[in-house]
Short mmCIF file of all heavy atoms in Angstrom, two decimals:
data_model
loop_
_atom_site.label_atom_id
_atom_site.label_comp_id
_atom_site.label_asym_id
_atom_site.label_seq_id
_atom_site.Cartn_x
_atom_site.Cartn_y
_atom_site.Cartn_z
N VAL A 113 -18.12 24.04 23.18
CA VAL A 113 -19.42 24.34 23.80
C VAL A 113 -20.44 24.55 22.69
O VAL A 113 -20.11 25.03 21.61
CB VAL A 113 -19.34 25.58 24.71
CG1 VAL A 113 -18.42 25.33 25.87
CG2 VAL A 113 -18.88 26.80 23.93
N PRO A 114 -21.68 24.18 22.92
CA PRO A 114 -22.70 24.31 21.87
C PRO A 114 -23.00 25.76 21.53
O PRO A 114 -23.10 26.61 22.41
CB PRO A 114 -23.93 23.62 22.48
CG PRO A 114 -23.69 23.65 23.95
CD PRO A 114 -22.22 23.57 24.14
N GLY A 115 -23.13 26.02 20.24
CA GLY A 115 -23.51 27.35 19.78
C GLY A 115 -22.40 28.36 19.73
O GLY A 115 -22.62 29.50 19.31
N SER A 116 -21.19 28.01 20.14
CA SER A 116 -20.05 28.95 20.13
C SER A 116 -18.83 28.22 19.59
O SER A 116 -17.98 27.75 20.36
CB SER A 116 -19.78 29.49 21.54
OG SER A 116 -20.91 30.13 22.08
N LEU A 119 -15.38 29.33 20.90
CA LEU A 119 -15.14 29.28 22.35
C LEU A 119 -14.80 27.86 22.77
O LEU A 119 -15.51 26.92 22.43
CB LEU A 119 -16.38 29.77 23.11
CG LEU A 119 -16.32 29.70 24.63
CD1 LEU A 119 -15.23 30.62 25.16
CD2 LEU A 119 -17.66 30.05 25.24
N ARG A 120 -13.71 27.72 23.52
CA ARG A 120 -13.33 26.41 24.05
C ARG A 120 -12.95 26.58 25.52
O ARG A 120 -12.32 27.56 25.90
CB ARG A 120 -12.16 25.80 23.26
CG ARG A 120 -12.48 25.59 21.79
CD ARG A 120 -11.44 24.71 21.11
NE ARG A 120 -11.57 23.32 21.48
CZ ARG A 120 -12.37 22.46 20.89
NH1 ARG A 120 -13.14 22.83 19.89
NH2 ARG A 120 -12.42 21.19 21.27
N LEU A 121 -13.36 25.61 26.32
CA LEU A 121 -13.11 25.64 27.76
C LEU A 121 -11.84 24.86 28.07
O LEU A 121 -11.72 23.70 27.71
CB LEU A 121 -14.30 25.02 28.50
CG LEU A 121 -15.67 25.61 28.15
CD1 LEU A 121 -16.77 24.88 28.90
CD2 LEU A 121 -15.72 27.10 28.44
N LEU A 124 -11.10 24.34 34.74
CA LEU A 124 -12.32 24.20 35.53
C LEU A 124 -12.95 25.56 35.80
O LEU A 124 -14.18 25.69 35.85
CB LEU A 124 -11.99 23.48 36.84
CG LEU A 124 -13.16 23.00 37.70
CD1 LEU A 124 -14.07 22.07 36.92
CD2 LEU A 124 -12.64 22.30 38.95
N ALA A 125 -12.12 26.58 35.95
CA ALA A 125 -12.65 27.93 36.14
C ALA A 125 -13.41 28.39 34.90
O ALA A 125 -14.43 29.09 35.02
CB ALA A 125 -11.51 28.89 36.47
N ASP A 126 -12.93 28.03 33.71
CA ASP A 126 -13.65 28.36 32.48
C ASP A 126 -15.05 27.73 32.48
O ASP A 126 -16.02 28.34 32.03
CB ASP A 126 -12.87 27.89 31.26
CG ASP A 126 -11.57 28.65 31.07
OD1 ASP A 126 -11.43 29.73 31.67
OD2 ASP A 126 -10.70 28.15 30.34
N VAL A 127 -15.14 26.49 32.96
CA VAL A 127 -16.43 25.79 32.99
C VAL A 127 -17.41 26.52 33.89
O VAL A 127 -18.57 26.74 33.54
CB VAL A 127 -16.23 24.34 33.45
CG1 VAL A 127 -17.58 23.62 33.59
CG2 VAL A 127 -15.34 23.58 32.48
N PHE A 128 -16.96 26.93 35.07
CA PHE A 128 -17.85 27.62 36.00
C PHE A 128 -18.25 28.99 35.47
O PHE A 128 -19.40 29.41 35.64
CB PHE A 128 -17.18 27.74 37.37
CG PHE A 128 -17.42 26.56 38.26
CD1 PHE A 128 -16.77 25.35 38.01
CD2 PHE A 128 -18.27 26.64 39.33
CE1 PHE A 128 -17.00 24.26 38.81
CE2 PHE A 128 -18.50 25.54 40.15
CZ PHE A 128 -17.87 24.34 39.89
N ALA A 129 -17.33 29.69 34.83
CA ALA A 129 -17.67 30.98 34.25
C ALA A 129 -18.69 30.82 33.14
O ALA A 129 -19.64 31.61 33.01
CB ALA A 129 -16.41 31.67 33.74
N TYR A 130 -18.51 29.78 32.31
CA TYR A 130 -19.46 29.51 31.23
C TYR A 130 -20.83 29.12 31.80
O TYR A 130 -21.87 29.61 31.33
CB TYR A 130 -18.91 28.39 30.34
CG TYR A 130 -19.93 27.82 29.38
CD1 TYR A 130 -20.31 28.51 28.24
CD2 TYR A 130 -20.51 26.58 29.63
CE1 TYR A 130 -21.24 27.99 27.36
CE2 TYR A 130 -21.44 26.04 28.76
CZ TYR A 130 -21.81 26.75 27.62
OH TYR A 130 -22.74 26.23 26.77
N ALA A 131 -20.85 28.27 32.82
CA ALA A 131 -22.12 27.84 33.41
C ALA A 131 -22.84 29.01 34.06
O ALA A 131 -24.07 29.12 33.98
CB ALA A 131 -21.86 26.74 34.44
N ALA A 132 -22.09 29.92 34.69
CA ALA A 132 -22.71 31.07 35.34
C ALA A 132 -23.31 32.04 34.33
O ALA A 132 -24.39 32.59 34.55
CB ALA A 132 -21.68 31.79 36.21
N SER A 133 -22.62 32.23 33.21
CA SER A 133 -23.09 33.21 32.22
C SER A 133 -24.21 32.67 31.34
O SER A 133 -25.01 33.44 30.82
CB SER A 133 -21.92 33.66 31.33
OG SER A 133 -21.37 32.56 30.64
N HIS A 134 -24.30 31.34 31.17
CA HIS A 134 -25.31 30.75 30.29
C HIS A 134 -26.40 29.99 31.06
O HIS A 134 -27.27 29.37 30.44
CB HIS A 134 -24.65 29.79 29.29
CG HIS A 134 -23.82 30.49 28.26
ND1 HIS A 134 -22.57 31.02 28.54
CD2 HIS A 134 -24.05 30.75 26.94
CE1 HIS A 134 -22.07 31.56 27.44
NE2 HIS A 134 -22.95 31.42 26.47
N GLY A 135 -26.33 30.00 32.38
CA GLY A 135 -27.35 29.31 33.16
C GLY A 135 -27.34 27.81 32.99
O GLY A 135 -28.40 27.16 33.00
N VAL A 136 -26.17 27.22 32.86
CA VAL A 136 -26.03 25.77 32.65
C VAL A 136 -25.93 25.08 34.00
O VAL A 136 -25.17 25.50 34.88
CB VAL A 136 -24.79 25.46 31.81
CG1 VAL A 136 -24.57 23.96 31.70
CG2 VAL A 136 -24.92 26.08 30.42
N GLU A 137 -26.70 24.02 34.19
CA GLU A 137 -26.60 23.20 35.39
C GLU A 137 -25.65 22.04 35.11
O GLU A 137 -25.86 21.28 34.15
CB GLU A 137 -27.97 22.67 35.80
CG GLU A 137 -27.94 21.99 37.16
CD GLU A 137 -29.32 21.54 37.61
OE1 GLU A 137 -29.94 20.74 36.86
OE2 GLU A 137 -29.79 21.97 38.67
N LEU A 138 -24.63 21.91 35.91
CA LEU A 138 -23.56 20.96 35.66
C LEU A 138 -23.92 19.57 36.16
O LEU A 138 -24.71 19.41 37.10
CB LEU A 138 -22.26 21.43 36.33
CG LEU A 138 -21.77 22.82 35.94
CD1 LEU A 138 -20.51 23.17 36.73
CD2 LEU A 138 -21.50 22.92 34.44
N ASP A 177 -23.02 19.22 30.62
CA ASP A 177 -24.23 20.02 30.83
C ASP A 177 -25.43 19.10 30.97
O ASP A 177 -25.29 17.88 31.10
CB ASP A 177 -24.40 21.04 29.71
CG ASP A 177 -24.57 20.38 28.35
OD1 ASP A 177 -24.67 19.13 28.29
OD2 ASP A 177 -24.62 21.10 27.33
N GLU A 178 -26.65 19.67 30.91
CA GLU A 178 -27.85 18.87 31.11
C GLU A 178 -28.11 17.86 30.01
O GLU A 178 -28.87 16.92 30.20
CB GLU A 178 -29.08 19.79 31.23
CG GLU A 178 -28.96 20.85 32.32
CD GLU A 178 -28.46 22.18 31.78
OE1 GLU A 178 -27.64 22.16 30.83
OE2 GLU A 178 -28.88 23.23 32.30
N LEU A 183 -18.02 19.15 28.90
CA LEU A 183 -17.48 20.49 29.07
C LEU A 183 -16.07 20.49 29.64
O LEU A 183 -15.33 21.46 29.45
CB LEU A 183 -18.39 21.31 30.00
CG LEU A 183 -19.84 21.50 29.55
CD1 LEU A 183 -20.60 22.31 30.60
CD2 LEU A 183 -19.91 22.18 28.19
N LEU A 207 -14.40 27.58 43.61
CA LEU A 207 -15.20 27.98 42.46
C LEU A 207 -16.69 28.05 42.80
O LEU A 207 -17.39 28.94 42.32
CB LEU A 207 -14.96 27.00 41.31
CG LEU A 207 -13.57 27.06 40.68
CD1 LEU A 207 -13.37 25.93 39.69
CD2 LEU A 207 -13.35 28.41 39.99
N ARG A 210 -17.07 31.31 44.50
CA ARG A 210 -16.97 32.46 43.58
C ARG A 210 -18.17 32.57 42.67
O ARG A 210 -18.52 33.67 42.24
CB ARG A 210 -15.70 32.32 42.73
CG ARG A 210 -14.41 32.62 43.46
CD ARG A 210 -13.22 32.25 42.62
NE ARG A 210 -13.30 32.81 41.29
CZ ARG A 210 -12.52 32.45 40.27
NH1 ARG A 210 -11.62 31.49 40.44
NH2 ARG A 210 -12.64 33.03 39.09
N PHE A 211 -18.80 31.44 42.35
CA PHE A 211 -19.96 31.43 41.45
C PHE A 211 -21.16 30.82 42.18
O PHE A 211 -21.52 29.66 41.93
CB PHE A 211 -19.64 30.64 40.18
CG PHE A 211 -18.50 31.20 39.38
CD1 PHE A 211 -17.21 30.71 39.54
CD2 PHE A 211 -18.71 32.21 38.46
CE1 PHE A 211 -16.16 31.21 38.80
CE2 PHE A 211 -17.66 32.73 37.71
CZ PHE A 211 -16.38 32.24 37.88
N PRO A 212 -21.79 31.56 43.09
CA PRO A 212 -22.90 30.98 43.88
C PRO A 212 -24.13 30.63 43.05
O PRO A 212 -25.01 29.91 43.52
CB PRO A 212 -23.21 32.09 44.89
CG PRO A 212 -22.72 33.35 44.26
CD PRO A 212 -21.52 32.95 43.44
N GLN A 213 -24.20 31.14 41.81
CA GLN A 213 -25.37 30.85 40.97
C GLN A 213 -25.24 29.53 40.22
O GLN A 213 -26.20 29.07 39.59
CB GLN A 213 -25.61 31.99 39.96
CG GLN A 213 -24.53 32.16 38.91
CD GLN A 213 -23.39 33.06 39.36
OE1 GLN A 213 -22.94 32.97 40.49
NE2 GLN A 213 -22.96 33.93 38.47
N VAL A 214 -24.07 28.91 40.26
CA VAL A 214 -23.85 27.66 39.54
C VAL A 214 -24.43 26.51 40.35
O VAL A 214 -24.19 26.38 41.55
CB VAL A 214 -22.35 27.44 39.26
CG1 VAL A 214 -22.12 26.06 38.64
CG2 VAL A 214 -21.81 28.53 38.34
N ARG A 215 -25.16 25.63 39.66
CA ARG A 215 -25.75 24.45 40.29
C ARG A 215 -25.16 23.19 39.64
O ARG A 215 -24.72 23.22 38.49
CB ARG A 215 -27.28 24.44 40.12
CG ARG A 215 -27.98 25.67 40.67
CD ARG A 215 -27.98 25.67 42.20
NE ARG A 215 -28.77 26.77 42.74
CZ ARG A 215 -28.29 27.97 43.03
NH1 ARG A 215 -27.00 28.23 42.82
NH2 ARG A 215 -29.06 28.90 43.54
N GLN A 232 -26.33 24.53 46.14
CA GLN A 232 -25.74 24.47 44.80
C GLN A 232 -25.54 23.05 44.30
O GLN A 232 -25.64 22.81 43.09
CB GLN A 232 -24.38 25.20 44.79
CG GLN A 232 -24.47 26.69 45.07
CD GLN A 232 -23.10 27.33 45.14
OE1 GLN A 232 -22.57 27.56 46.22
NE2 GLN A 232 -22.52 27.61 44.00
#
Side-chain angles (χ1 to χ4, degrees):
V113 295
S116 302
L119 176 64
R120 300 193 74 86
L121 307 178
L124 191 57
D126 293 342
V127 176
F128 272 73
Y130 167 75
S133 60
H134 290 75
V136 175
E137 189 176 58
L138 304 178
D177 62 6
E178 304 95 326
L183 300 179
L207 291 172
R210 286 171 51 193
F211 299 95
Q213 66 273 42
V214 174
R215 303 287 186 270
Q232 296 176 260

